[in-house]
Amino acid sequence: EAIDLGSCEIGPEGIKSLSDALRWATMLRTINLSNNIFGDAGATKLGERIKYLHHFETIDLSGCEIGPEGIESLSDVLRRAQMLRTINLSNNIFGDAGAIKLAESIKYLHHLEAIDLSDCKIGLEGIESLSDALKFAEML
């Protein structure tokens, strides 16, 4: 039900291999890949695979060097994760562009209870988009 590979120095190639395996872990509820170094390339690959996981409730990708491109790939997947309750994307580098894209997905996550976006270089424009989107999160 859970995968915890935080702080394992997993890069883009490692995420590619892991992502291929995750596709078949359909009952996975918790994904912790925090403090790895896979960046946008790894986030994009991860997004392509976790779209098959419909039951995951928690995702922690904090400190993974994810920029706007990686967040865009993940946002499309997160939008479909109807059971998602907790998102930790803190300590990444996606800024306003990523926050705006993420906000488009957050409004579909009605069960969201917690989201951590600290230290992601988000400015006023990103904060306004997120604030508007969070109004739809009924559990926050």
Side-chain angles (χ1 to χ4, degrees), residues 3-103:
I3 184 165
D4 185 350
L5 293 172
S7 302
C8 289
E9 298 181 17
I10 301 172
E13 286 303 310
I15 278 294
K16 181 182 181 302
S17 298
L18 178 63
S19 295
D20 289 343
L22 285 178
R23 180 178 182 181
W24 305 110
T26 56
M27 297 308 289
L28 196 61
R29 297 202 185 281
T30 301
I31 301 169
N32 179 4
L33 297 171
S34 62
N35 300 308
N36 284 293
I37 51 173
F38 51 79
D40 285 342
T44 299
K45 182 51 78 175
L46 185 63
E48 291 171 2
R49 294 298 185 226
I50 64 173
K51 67 183 175 187
Y52 299 103
L53 306 179
H54 302 290
H55 299 286
F56 74 99
E57 298 173 358
T58 301
I59 188 163
D60 185 347
L61 301 177
S62 58
C64 293
E65 301 178 6
I66 302 171
E69 195 175 297
I71 286 296
E72 184 170 347
S73 296
L74 289 171
S75 292
D76 293 337
V77 172
L78 295 178
R79 173 181 291 178
R80 296 185 200 114
Q82 296 300 310
M83 302 301 292
L84 194 56
R85 297 183 185 283
T86 305
I87 301 171
N88 186 348
L89 292 169
S90 64
N91 299 305
N92 282 293
I93 54 174
F94 52 82
D96 282 343
I100 291 166
K101 188 64 180 172
L102 187 60

Side-chain angles (χ1 to χ4, degrees), residues 118-137:
S118 59
D119 291 323
C120 290
K121 303 182 183 342
I122 301 171
L124 184 58
E125 188 178 3
I127 290 170
E128 288 174 348
S129 292
L130 289 165
S131 177
D132 290 342
L134 289 171
K135 293 174 186 172
F136 293 94

Side-chain angles (χ1 to χ4, degrees), residues 96-112:
D96 282 343
I100 291 166
K101 188 64 180 172
L102 187 60
E104 294 171 14
S105 295
I106 287 174
K107 56 182 137 184
Y108 295 97
L109 302 177
H110 301 292
H111 296 288
L112 190 63

